[in-house]
């Protein structure tokens, strides 16, 4: 019998030993890292919890209840500390307690109980009871917090009232603001005002749940071709003109489809010069000129005249003689703008002096194919196209110019050029001169008000982004701004700077949205400018003065050697700037990587928003991914509401001192090939820069969710009416778990007069519909790839309202690649 007893006790002894070892190792890890955190000035909790786990590990193999009591007290301490630090917020609470809860449940199993009793029965039952109560309390806290969202704002937007008359260009002039698009979608943002709003009302909150796929087109253009940069993306918003849909692909093909059936009508693929030093390969959209027969009249700033009502042709038609009257404009990755006949897809040979294209490299300094190109559609006015472009970020201080140019819409002849390095000389540049090198550019989409005679240009930075010790006067004045240029001359009418001396890559990423706001008894022609730092600057588009108050707030100081920071920064009263991060905001999948994030947080320089980049590493929050990016916002001119998609992800910016202008400091030992430039090396500057998302060792964001929302803002009052976390981690986590944590979006929304908004840009693969009155999600449809594009809507020849989205993914976000264009509509009657 003694031998049998020994055999029975052997498994129990092993079980207790293994359990104690696991708990002890966890305690050692928490204790050691917790001690490091204490030295850095952080919380004492982890050190105390680690010591408690070590004590429990020592006591457990002895049997009895002592080990259980020690462990239960650690769990109780953890629960109390977690509730004190984060309250009933499920995801932060789970990160602090998940490991403790799982181990605690295991300690309550009969196998552990029998092993403890065999060693020493004293106190096991009451210890198990206390541990059970503590775990139940943890479970109840988790259950209560599961449905809570501390960031949620509940509210309802009133139904639209009868609008007042639109704003006129000047006293006595006819109404100036064009009507929102309805049957067609003639520009990237619907029309030149950039509202991303349609007057169609067939789809409503009551019937949107019946939406079904109407047609599905594959472009055949996929990522992964030779020479592709990492950030190869399908970001297009199609145009709809008459009975045709027009779109462009990442590899620069232009495709015409039947808007009702999705059948391909023609395709044009230009010859692209290679190799190209691209950072991004995309085409966000095309631009459309209806032709001289149906162009709306325009009032000049000097002598306003009544505009004609915009006309929509049944289908684009070529002019007599075989040349184009109506035109599509396609910007290319090698620095050209091509004019195409919408009827046939053939180049319009009159444009560009018989070539059908204009060369944007003309008069440019520092020519390097692929170092300048337009990823965004050009602006079309009655007589001009206005073109900006992107330049390489953080590669060198010898990049090309960010000049803004206007060309004759029929011939492609240069009419004016605005160069921020030489802003007063806007007459066409002489043939033997070049524009100012390394000047701020405009890579995003501009908006236009032809009645007021202005184009509104969002600008970026003078490279490099994170060090500005040698920026020019023009760069300091016009970078990270919205600049209103006179349509006739290209001269600056006004400018508003959203960031002073930008060191964070907070270039203005979004198209300005123009809307006439009814404020009191007055109608104000407004411009709404979203920014990466979360502001919605609401300005009078006549003079740039704030409609919603803007305050200059003190900013952190102490830039890197040879640089400086602005003493203040502008902050709008209508802002989605997330609250400053604290150690309690650090997060992870477990308590261990959550602790690692807290250590990293304390090791980085962080003094809130606008913490300057530094050689020790600075936490930049919100990061350059942006609260808002190129997708922008949608504006309902009747409800006076902005539908927004604020995101919040922290980044780390670390300056690396350079000893020469040739060595690679952040790209490895060998220079990348021509399709991927030496990004972040900053040749010619004293610092290279390392940029990365602020993530845990498991690759999860170090800040607690939610990371993405949808929100409605009343533009008249500057009040956020509703705000809900949006999106799941189904396509971002190792397991396809549809946890509604709120994920970022890249790609904008569209709103309709029917009271429904559509969005596809979330990091999970869904097209979603929302009630614009309260933000409630009404419908979703699974996409075959990432939907990082802005949807659009139009009326088909069968009388149905269609909603179309491109689903092709985004290289640097890691969303699934594809070549899909999908149309949705209500069932046929």
């Amino acid at each position: 019998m003694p031998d049998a007893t020994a055999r029975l006790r052997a498994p129990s002894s092993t079980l207790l030993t293994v359990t104690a070892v696991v708990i002890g190792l966890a305690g050692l890890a928490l204790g050691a890292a917790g001690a490091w955190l204490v030295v850095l000035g952080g919380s004492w909790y982890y050190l105390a919890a680690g010591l408690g786990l070590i004590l429990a590990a020592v006591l457990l193999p002895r049997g009895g209840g002592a080990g259980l009591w020690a462990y239960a007290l650690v769990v109780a301490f953890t629960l109390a500390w977690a509730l004190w630090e984060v309250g009933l917020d499920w995801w932060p609470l789970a990160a602090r307690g998940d490991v403790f809860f799982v181990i605690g449940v295991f300690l309550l199993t009969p196998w552990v109980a029998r092993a403890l009793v065999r060693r020493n029965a004293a106190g096991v039952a009451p210890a198990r009871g206390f541990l059970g109560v503590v775990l139940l309390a943890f479970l109840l806290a988790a259950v209560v917090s599961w449905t809570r969202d501390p960031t949620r704002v509940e509210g309802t937007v009133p139904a639209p009232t009868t609008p007042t008359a639109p704003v006129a260009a000047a006293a006595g002039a006819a109404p100036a603001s064009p009507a929102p698009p309805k049957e067609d979608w003639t520009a990237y943002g619907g029309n030149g005002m950039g509202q991303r709003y349609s007057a169609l009302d067939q789809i409503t909150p009551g019937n949107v749940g019946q939406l079904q796929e109407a047609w599905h087109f594959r472009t055949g253009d996929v990522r992964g071709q030779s020479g592709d940069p990492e950030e190869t993306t399908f970001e297009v918003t199609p145009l709809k003109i008459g009975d045709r849909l027009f779109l462009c692909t990442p590899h620069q093909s232009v495709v015409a489809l039947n808007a009702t059936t999705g059948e391909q009508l023609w395709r044009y693929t230009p010859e692209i010069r290679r190799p190209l030093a691209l950072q991004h390969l995309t085409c966000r959209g095309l631009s459309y000129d209806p032709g001289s027969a149906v162009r709306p009249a325009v009032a000049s700033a000097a002598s306003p005249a009544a505009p004609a009502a915009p006309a929509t042709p049944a289908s684009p038609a070529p002019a007599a003689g075989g040349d184009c009257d109506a035109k599509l404009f396609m910007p290319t990755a090698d620095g050209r703008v091509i004019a195409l006949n919408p009827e046939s897809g053939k180049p319009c040979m009159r444009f560009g002096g018989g070539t059908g294209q204009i060369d944007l490299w003309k008069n440019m300094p520092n020519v390097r194919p692929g170092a300048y190109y337009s990823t965004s559609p050009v602006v079309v006015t009655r007589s001009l196209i206005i073109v900006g472009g992107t330049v390489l970020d953080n590669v060198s201080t010898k990049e090309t110019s960010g000049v803004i140019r206007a060309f004759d819409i029929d011939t492609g002849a240069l009419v004016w050029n605005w160069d921020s390095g030489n802003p007063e000389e806007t007459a066409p540049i002489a043939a033997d001169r070049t524009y100012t090198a390394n000047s701020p550019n405009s890579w995003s989409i501009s908006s236009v008000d032809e009645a007021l005679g202005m184009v509104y240009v969002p600008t970026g930075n003078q490279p490099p982004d994170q060090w500005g010790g040698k920026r020019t006067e023009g760069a300091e004045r016009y970078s990270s701004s919205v600049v209103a240029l006179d349509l006739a001359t290209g001269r600056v009418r006004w400018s508003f700077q959203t960031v002073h001396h930008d060191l964070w890559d907070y270039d203005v990423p979004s198209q300005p949205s123009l809307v006439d706001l009814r404020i009191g008894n007055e109608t104000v022609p407004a411009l709404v400018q979203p920014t990466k730092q979360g502001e919605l600057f609401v300005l009078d588009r006549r003079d740039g003065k704030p409609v919603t108050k803007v305050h200059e707030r003190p900013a952190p100081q102490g830039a890197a050697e040879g640089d400086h920071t602005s003493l203040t920064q502008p902050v709008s009263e209508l802002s989605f700037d997330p609250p400053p991060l604290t150690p309690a905001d650090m997060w992870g999948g477990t308590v261990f990587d959550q602790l690692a994030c807290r250590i990293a947080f304390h090791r980085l320089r962080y003094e809130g928003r606008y913490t300057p980049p530094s050689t020790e590493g600075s936490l930049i929050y919100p990061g350059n991914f942006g609260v808002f990016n190129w997708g922008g916002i949608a504006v309902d001119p009747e409800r006076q509401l902005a539908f927004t998609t604020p995101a919040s992800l922290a980044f780390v910016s670390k300056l690396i001192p350079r000893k020469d202008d040739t060595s690679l400091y952040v790209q490895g030992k060998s220079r990348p090939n021509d399709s991927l430039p030496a990004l972040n090396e900053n040749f010619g500057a004293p610092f290279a820069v390392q940029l990365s998302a602020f993530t845990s060792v498991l690759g999860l964001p170090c800040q607690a969710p939610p990371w993405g929302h949808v929100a409605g803002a009343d533009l008249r009052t500057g009040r956020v009416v509703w705000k809900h976390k949006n999106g799941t981690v189904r396509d971002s986590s190792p397991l396809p778990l549809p946890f509604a944590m709120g994920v970022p979006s890249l790609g904008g929304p569209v709103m309709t007069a029917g009271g429904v908004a559509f969005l596809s840009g979330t990091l999970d693969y869904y097209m979603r519909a929302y009630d614009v009155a309260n933000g409630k999600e009404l419908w979703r449809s699974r996409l075959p790839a990432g939907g990082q594009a802005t949807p659009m809507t139009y009326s088909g020849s069968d009388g149905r309202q269609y909603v179309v989205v491109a689903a092709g993914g985004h290289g640097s976000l890691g969303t699934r690649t594809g070549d899909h264009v999908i149309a949705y509509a209500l069932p046929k009657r």
Side-chain angles (χ1 to χ4, degrees):
M1 289 301 296
D3 292 339
T5 303
R7 286 194 300 269
L8 288 172
R9 289 181 176 178
S12 64
S13 176
T14 302
L15 179 64
L16 282 181
T17 301
V18 171
T19 304
V21 167
V22 170
I23 294 174
L25 290 174
L28 285 172
L30 283 182
W36 188 9
L37 182 63
V38 170
V39 171
L40 294 172
S43 171
W44 283 75
Y45 158 76
Y46 300 91
L47 175 58
L51 294 175
L53 290 181
I54 293 171
L55 177 61
V58 171
L59 295 176
L60 271 174
R62 300 180 181 182
L68 286 181
W69 279 105
Y71 187 84
L73 289 172
V74 171
V75 178
F77 175 47
T78 298
L79 175 59
W81 167 76
L83 291 173
W84 171 79
E85 192 169 58
V86 299
L88 291 171
D89 191 350
W90 199 90
W91 290 106
L93 203 63
R96 287 158 172 78
D98 50 7
V99 172
F100 294 101
F101 187 85
V102 170
I103 294 176
V105 170
F106 177 74
L107 290 176
L108 289 180
T109 60
W111 310 291
V112 176
R114 285 196 294 267
L116 290 171
V117 170
R118 288 190 184 110
R119 284 295 185 91
N120 179 4
V124 171
R128 292 186 75 220
F130 179 66
L131 178 57
V133 169
V134 173
L135 293 178
L136 180 60
F138 228 128
L139 183 62
L140 289 174
V143 170
V144 171
S145 64
W146 177 253
T147 57
R148 296 184 73 254
D149 178 9
T151 66
R152 189 178 181 93
V153 176
E154 292 285 7
T156 302
V157 179
T161 56
T162 303
T164 58
V167 177
S177 299
K182 194 169 185 179
E183 283 78 14
D184 287 359
W185 192 270
T186 59
Y188 175 83
N191 57 20
M193 298 185 74
Q195 294 175 347
R196 279 163 286 281
Y197 172 84
S198 170
L200 290 173
D201 58 5
Q202 187 180 101
I203 299 172
T204 68
N207 63 24
V208 68
Q210 302 173 41
L211 279 181
Q212 59 188 26
E213 188 175 299
W215 53 258
H216 189 151
F217 176 75
R218 303 289 297 272
T219 69
D221 187 322
V222 294
R223 193 164 61 229
Q225 298 183 23
S226 175
D228 281 2
E230 178 184 6
E231 194 162 300
T232 302
T233 66
F234 194 22
E235 298 176 352
V236 69
T237 297
L239 304 182
K240 192 266 185 177
I241 316 294
D243 58 0
R244 298 191 173 192
L245 207 66
F246 301 100
L247 60 98
C248 53
T249 71
H251 292 94
Q252 315 295 280
S253 292
V254 180
V255 183
L257 305 177
N258 181 300
T260 305
T261 67
E263 175 191 5
Q264 179 174 311
L265 303 176
W266 56 255
R267 177 186 294 254
Y268 172 81
T269 302
E271 291 281 340
I272 301 296
R273 291 171 287 183
R274 293 183 181 275
L276 297 177
L278 300 174
Q279 280 179 227
H280 322 278
L281 182 59
T282 192
C283 180
R284 294 192 180 93
L286 306 165
S287 304
Y288 175 67
D289 167 29
S292 58
V294 290
R295 287 178 192 151
V298 62
S300 69
S303 55
T312 301
S315 62
D323 202 357
C324 310
D325 188 26
K327 289 180 286 296
L328 292 171
F329 295 101
M330 164 69 183
T332 68
D334 56 0
R336 294 175 288 157
V337 175
I338 301 174
L340 299 176
N341 188 326
E343 184 70 17
S344 64
K346 295 181 179 180
C348 301
M349 300 310 292
R350 182 186 174 201
F351 186 78
T355 64
Q357 61 186 328
I358 53 176
D359 184 1
L360 299 179
W361 277 109
K362 193 173 183 180
N363 298 102
M364 283 293 206
N366 303 325
V367 175
R368 183 185 177 195
Y372 175 88
Y373 51 104
S374 293
T375 58
S376 298
V378 305
V379 172
V380 171
T381 74
R382 186 175 185 274
S383 59
L384 303 171
I385 64 167
I386 299 160
V387 186
T390 186
V391 301
L392 296 180
D393 270 349
N394 299 332
V395 173
S396 79
T397 58
K398 296 180 180 179
E399 297 302 322
T400 191
S401 178
V403 62
I404 309 299
R405 286 169 284 187
F407 300 91
D408 184 276
I409 199 167
D410 291 316
T411 67
L414 182 64
V415 176
W416 53 256
N417 36 237
W418 179 71
D419 179 352
S420 62
N422 190 17
E424 300 303 319
E425 295 185 21
T426 61
I429 194 170
D432 60 347
R433 295 181 58 193
T434 57
Y435 299 113
T436 305
N438 229 43
S439 56
N441 67 325
S442 180
W443 60 266
S444 189
I445 307 99
S446 297
S447 297
V448 64
D449 186 332
E450 292 203 67
L452 293 178
M454 283 181 271
V455 59
Y456 303 95
V457 181
T459 66
N461 251 339
Q462 182 180 66
D465 290 322
Q466 286 77 26
W467 188 83
K470 294 183 179 179
R471 289 182 185 162
T472 63
E473 180 182 351
E476 290 286 51
R477 182 176 182 183
Y478 294 114
S479 69
S480 301
S481 301
V482 55
V483 181
L485 301 178
D486 186 272
L487 281 178
T489 66
R491 291 183 174 272
V492 176
R493 295 271 289 272
W494 58 262
S495 66
F496 179 89
Q497 192 162 63
T498 66
V499 186
H500 308 319
H501 194 66
D502 183 2
L503 301 177
W504 305 272
D505 192 19
Y506 283 161
D507 45 12
V508 182
S510 307
Q511 181 180 23
S513 294
L514 312 184
V515 59
D516 298 336
L517 294 181
R518 302 183 292 274
I519 301 177
N521 296 322
E522 182 182 6
T523 300
V524 178
L527 175 152
V528 185
Q529 182 60 69
T531 70
K532 285 185 177 180
Q533 60 271 30
E535 308 305 310
L536 290 187
F537 290 109
V538 184
L539 311 174
D540 189 317
R541 65 177 184 267
R542 294 169 294 191
D543 54 21
K545 294 180 180 178
V547 174
T548 300
K549 289 183 179 180
V550 175
H551 305 279
E552 289 287 337
R553 298 278 171 80
Q557 300 298 294
E561 182 179 355
D563 203 353
H564 69 279
T565 53
S566 174
L567 293 175
T568 63
Q569 294 289 354
V571 177
S572 172
E573 286 195 352
L574 177 51
S575 176
F576 289 95
D577 175 34
L581 292 174
T582 68
D585 293 317
M586 296 302 99
W587 188 73
T590 69
V591 68
F592 301 105
D593 53 318
Q594 193 255 352
L595 170 55
C597 284
R598 289 181 91 121
I599 291 171
F601 177 84
H602 281 278
R603 296 183 68 194
L604 293 168
R605 180 181 178 185
Y606 180 64
E607 299 162 36
R609 187 161 130 180
Y610 300 117
T611 301
S614 61
T615 53
E616 66 266 30
S618 293
L619 189 60
I620 309 301
Y621 184 68
N624 63 354
F625 181 87
V627 174
F628 301 110
N629 209 294
W630 54 263
I633 62 174
V635 170
D636 184 330
E638 303 303 325
R639 292 176 175 83
Q640 309 274 276
L641 177 78
F643 186 100
T644 71
T645 59
S648 52
L649 286 174
F651 279 71
V652 176
S653 178
K654 184 177 182 179
L655 299 177
I656 309 297
R658 296 193 61 87
K659 296 180 180 179
D660 57 61
D661 282 346
T662 58
S663 299
L664 296 174
Y665 286 84
V666 296
Q667 288 289 344
K669 294 182 179 180
S670 62
R671 180 188 289 273
N673 61 39
D674 284 337
S675 68
L676 182 63
L679 186 62
N680 299 331
E681 290 292 351
N682 294 339
F683 297 116
F687 299 97
V689 62
Q690 286 181 343
L691 297 172
S692 62
F694 185 42
T695 56
S696 74
V697 293
L698 298 181
L700 299 171
C702 267
Q703 68 193 80
W707 308 296
H709 293 86
V710 290
D714 188 325
L715 294 172
R716 295 167 297 183
T717 64
R719 183 174 65 91
V720 177
V721 182
W722 52 259
K723 179 181 175 185
H724 307 155
K725 63 183 179 183
N726 184 58
T728 73
V729 294
R730 169 174 176 169
D731 299 301
S732 303
S733 59
L735 297 175
L737 301 173
F739 291 141
M741 299 173 73
V743 297
S745 296
L746 192 59
V750 61
M751 298 174 76
T752 69
V756 179
F758 296 93
L759 175 69
S760 66
T762 50
L763 297 188
D764 56 351
Y765 309 155
Y766 287 102
M767 174 76 153
R768 288 180 168 90
Y770 308 84
D771 189 329
V772 301
N774 54 31
K776 180 182 177 182
E777 183 180 317
L778 302 171
W779 167 87
R780 72 170 71 171
S781 177
R782 185 74 173 155
L783 296 173
Q788 278 68 61
T790 302
M792 48 81 75
T793 185
Y794 59 88
S795 181
S797 61
D798 59 358
R800 291 194 293 169
Q801 180 181 351
Y802 288 79
V803 182
V804 170
V805 66
H810 193 288
S812 58
L813 293 181
T815 51
R816 185 186 302 152
T817 184
D819 62 343
H820 308 269
V821 182
I822 304 172
Y824 301 91
L826 296 174
K828 292 181 179 180
R829 295 179 179 177

